[in-house]
Amino acid sequence: MARYTEALTVERGGFRIKVPESWWEFDVRPESRDDSIRRMVDERVRRHPELEKSRDAYVSFLRKAAADAWKSGALYCGCMAESFGGDTPITGSVTVSLVGGRTGSGNPLPTDPAAIAGQLAVKEAKKEGDSWRKVTTVDIPGVGPAARTHGIEDIPVPGDALNRTVRAVLMQTYIPVPGQEGKVALVAGSSQVLDLADSFFDIFDAITSTFRFTG
């Protein structure tokens, strides 16, 4: 799976995060993302000709990940799409969004990790194969406590008129933004490779632990 010892630091306005060097990171804006993805895939295939057979799969996955990230308001989207000898690449993504909300009376929602965790619903699997979700709080080194969910969840397909869902490994960490009432940085990791759920939880946790606010 991913190599944690070779990391690429990505900086955006107000934060930075490290992802494995083998990951893809690209502009998610609609007017430029397709060209960005095409150039990245072309460059990767030139350096690793054995990936040619998976070119279309890489492009399709990365375009969908970029479109979903843009619709969710993400400021950063990083993806892995690696072949380990099989016909289908192993894929996963991490996005960072700045989100906020207000109560019915108009007050900012609390950003205290314990309060956020108290508002997040735990979901128990009633039988094998059901979706599930656990809620915890974690400590991000150099940042502090944060609320987190992780599990196997049915995620709504953005913009789908039929309200379809996709089952995925999902970890979401809610990190309070210093000095901004009601705002949190949401670091979300997801993959549709359910058989590797535990490995992806480890990867997403490792990446999220590198998150830092800047400025």
Side-chain angles (χ1 to χ4, degrees):
M1 297 294 288
R3 298 164 294 173
Y4 299 132
T5 55
E6 300 179 13
L8 175 66
T9 300
V10 179
E11 293 201 28
R12 292 290 182 272
F15 70 87
R16 69 176 184 267
I17 193 168
K18 291 183 179 180
V19 297
E21 193 176 40
S22 59
W23 282 45
W24 314 68
E25 191 274 324
F26 43 84
D27 187 350
V28 298
R29 294 176 298 177
E31 65 271 20
S32 54
R33 65 189 178 215
D34 284 356
D35 184 60
S36 174
I37 289 168
R38 179 186 56 77
R39 286 187 283 105
M40 283 194 308
V41 173
D42 287 347
E43 174 60 26
R44 190 70 63 91
V45 171
R46 275 195 296 270
R47 288 189 283 121
H48 303 280
E50 69 275 11
L51 301 180
E52 175 63 43
K53 65 179 182 179
S54 300
R55 178 195 291 268
D56 291 345
Y58 287 148
V59 170
S60 177
F61 166 70
L62 294 171
R63 285 179 173 174
K64 183 179 185 304
D68 290 348
W70 176 259
K71 290 176 182 177
S72 71
L75 299 177
Y76 165 78
C77 177
C79 301
M80 69 166 291
E82 298 187 28
S83 175
F84 294 93
D87 294 332
T88 304
I90 303 299
T91 58
S93 66
V94 169
T95 61
V96 180
S97 309
L98 294 181
V99 299
R102 293 187 177 274
T103 65
S105 59
N107 295 318
L109 289 173
T111 58
D112 175 74
I116 294 176
Q119 296 173 358
L120 298 171
V122 173
K123 183 177 182 181
E124 300 288 344
K126 296 181 179 178
K127 63 180 184 298
E128 185 176 356
D130 281 356
S131 60
W132 56 272
R133 181 194 307 119
K134 293 183 178 180
V135 178
T136 60
T137 57
V138 296
D139 190 70
I140 308 297
V143 175
R148 169 177 290 174
T149 66
H150 75 278
I152 305 296
E153 302 204 38
D154 294 319
I155 305 173
V157 177
D160 186 79
L162 300 178
N163 297 319
R164 286 173 291 191
T165 61
V166 173
R167 182 156 291 187
V169 181
L170 180 64
M171 176 181 287
Q172 298 187 100
T173 306
Y174 301 78
I175 306 171
V177 179
Q180 294 194 33
E181 191 177 21
K183 294 289 183 66
V184 297
L186 174 59
V187 183
S190 67
S191 172
Q192 293 181 37
V193 187
L194 305 185
D195 290 343
L196 297 178
D198 289 341
S199 295
F200 273 110
F201 289 142
D202 288 343
I203 291 172
F204 298 149
D205 175 66
I207 292 174
T208 303
S209 71
T210 71
F211 181 92
R212 299 291 186 275
F213 290 107
T214 60

